Amino acid sequence: MSPVRFYFDYSSLEETFMGTSGQGAEMPNPGVQSQFIAKSGGDQFSGEGYYDWYNNALQGANIPQDVIDRGIREHSNEIDRYWDRAINAGGPVVRGKIWYFGAYREQFNAVAQPQFRFDQTFDTKMWNPVVKGTYQINQRNKLIGYYQYGQKIQPTRLPYASYFYDDTSSTTRQDSGSWVYKAEWNSTLSDKIYLEARYGDFGYYFPLIANSSANF
């Protein structure tokens, strides 16, 4: 079975729940249960931004000299640089009727990979756009649409973790995407009957592209 590969934009979530055991009847199988409620727009415009930054000047080195003498670089496995930035906004299209919410997030980090014997960091970049729309058709009926996409890029991914790499030709490039979306209809049929119909999909692709035409 292929592993599921998806990274949520957590800054776009209103509420999250993680359960590890003792789940309720709505969880048919044992194991970890996760629930995510995305933010929605309202009748008031609102938005927020976030930026986090880090570099190697904020990190110490602790690799002893005898290890460095065996071929490991001095600053191996340290974070060289890192940033995380996000922005989101929501509000009305038609007050009391139609609302929107949108978000965008980017994350990047560069690590001094111990297996690299060339002057380059191991880089990872991820980005997520999110859109959500809500339409209150009337007092009893509401439509909701949601979509989130995620892209992960690692230009020099290691095919084997137990080897040293003298150049990038033996590494691979990961440029994988994933998505999740849903369309939902909520209806109050009477004071005793509530109907919810939903269609959704999750998918991803995970290519590993050789950085050299040579077989390895």
Side-chain angles (χ1 to χ4, degrees):
M1 179 181 294
S2 299
V4 175
R5 305 178 187 276
F6 190 79
Y7 301 88
F8 272 101
D9 175 6
Y10 293 100
S11 67
S12 70
L13 300 179
E14 183 72 33
E15 182 180 335
T16 63
F17 168 79
M18 296 293 293
T20 56
S21 62
Q23 312 297 349
E26 70 275 9
M27 179 66 169
N29 301 311
V32 176
Q33 179 188 21
S34 59
Q35 296 178 344
F36 305 102
I37 300 176
K39 294 178 180 178
S40 301
D43 277 341
Q44 298 295 323
F45 289 101
S46 64
E48 61 182 359
Y50 170 84
Y51 188 84
D52 188 12
W53 174 86
Y54 178 96
N55 70 2
N56 189 257
L58 303 172
Q59 183 172 348
N62 62 356
I63 299 179
Q65 187 60 46
D66 62 320
V67 175
I68 296 174
D69 293 339
R70 293 199 295 268
I72 299 296
R73 292 189 296 171
E74 181 177 1
H75 297 285
S76 292
N77 218 30
E78 295 179 16
I79 295 177
D80 183 74
R81 59 195 185 280
Y82 165 85
W83 48 258
D84 182 0
R85 57 195 181 195
I87 187 170
N88 64 63
V93 178
V94 178
R95 293 185 184 275
K97 195 78 172 176
I98 306 175
W99 306 272
Y100 75 91
F101 173 80
Y104 183 78
R105 185 181 187 186
E106 282 187 352
Q107 301 172 78
F108 173 84
N109 72 346
V111 178
Q113 174 57 252
Q115 280 95 340
F116 285 179
R117 287 179 169 171
F118 52 93
D119 189 21
Q120 188 170 326
T121 55
F122 179 72
D123 299 346
T124 301
K125 181 179 179 180
M126 296 189 293
W127 53 273
N128 296 76
V130 180
V131 291
K132 182 179 181 181
T134 306
Y135 175 30
Q136 189 72 46
I137 302 172
N138 51 46
Q139 190 174 1
R140 293 178 175 269
N141 295 277
K142 179 168 64 176
L143 293 177
I144 300 171
Y146 175 84
Y147 179 82
Q148 180 172 174
Y149 181 81
Q151 192 80 13
K152 181 178 180 180
I153 302 172
Q154 290 182 331
T156 52
R157 184 183 175 94
L158 278 62
Y160 310 104
S162 58
Y163 292 86
F164 286 107
Y165 297 85
D166 295 320
D167 53 56
T168 62
S169 63
S170 296
T171 64
T172 58
R173 175 181 173 84
Q174 175 187 342
D175 195 347
S176 58
S178 53
W179 59 90
V180 60
Y181 66 81
K182 75 166 184 177
E184 181 178 323
W185 170 44
N186 299 329
S187 181
T188 303
L189 301 179
S190 71
D191 58 354
K192 295 182 178 180
I193 302 176
Y194 176 79
L195 174 66
E196 179 178 291
R198 182 186 306 159
Y199 175 82
D201 182 50
F202 162 78
Y204 71 95
Y205 60 94
F206 191 81
L208 292 176
I209 305 166
N211 285 322
S212 171
S213 59
N215 294 324
F216 56 88

